[in-house]
Amino acid sequence: MVVWSAGLLLYRLTPEPQVFIAHMGGPFWATKDVGAWSIPKGEFDPESEGALDAARREFREELGVEPPELAWAELGTFAYSSGKKVVVFVGDGAGFTASDFTFGTFEMAWPPRSGRTATFPEVDRAEWVGLDAAREALVKGQRPAIEALAVALEGLGGD
């Protein structure tokens, strides 16, 4: 069975294109930077929830702020090597202020095999970065979304 996720990829032209991405939280990602960032996204069941509704919900859950009210466009569906599929929506986030986040949390056994449970943020920071930085920072399965956005922005004269 395919696992589905949906996410919101904000971009802005300042004057070079930038995207808004989040660094994954928890002990595994704490000391990593390359390949440790993500588009704010999360899983959903396409039988019971629309992809855009899920993407908006996950943005809110991960960052603790409402996603901006924009004309979201579906950028595409991107497959991870694991088979997971991520539906990415883009919007011009030039007016979005990246601040006042209250990151969502998750629990896991930590330290491993200790019998204790610890709470960690789903993401531990989020920021605007240029497209080249995003290509390096994002997990491998999400990098094609940056390429698709770059192509779309070329048509607007943005890259």
Side-chain angles (χ1 to χ4, degrees), residues 108-117:
M108 66 180 278
W110 192 258
R113 295 175 293 285
S114 67
R116 289 180 274 173
T117 301

Side-chain angles (χ1 to χ4, degrees), residues 60-121:
R60 187 172 36 256
E61 287 178 5
E62 288 191 356
L63 302 175
V65 297
E66 289 294 323
E69 290 296 327
L70 301 175
W72 295 101
E74 188 171 332
L75 181 63
T77 299
F78 305 92
Y80 284 25
S81 60
S82 67
K84 180 182 207 172
K85 295 190 178 188
V86 180
V87 183
V88 177
F89 296 89
V90 294
D92 184 346
F96 179 71
T97 302
S99 63
D100 299 324
F101 300 121
T102 306
F103 300 124
T105 59
F106 69 96
E107 291 184 346
M108 66 180 278
W110 192 258
R113 295 175 293 285
S114 67
R116 289 180 274 173
T117 301
T119 302
F120 299 97

Side-chain angles (χ1 to χ4, degrees), residues 5 24 44 46 71 75-76 109 137 159:
S5 282
M24 292 184 277
F44 76 104
L75 181 63
D159 190 19

Side-chain angles (χ1 to χ4, degrees), residues 13 15-17 131 150 152-159:
L13 308 175
E16 297 298 317
L131 297 186
L153 291 177
E154 282 176 12
L156 300 175
D159 190 19

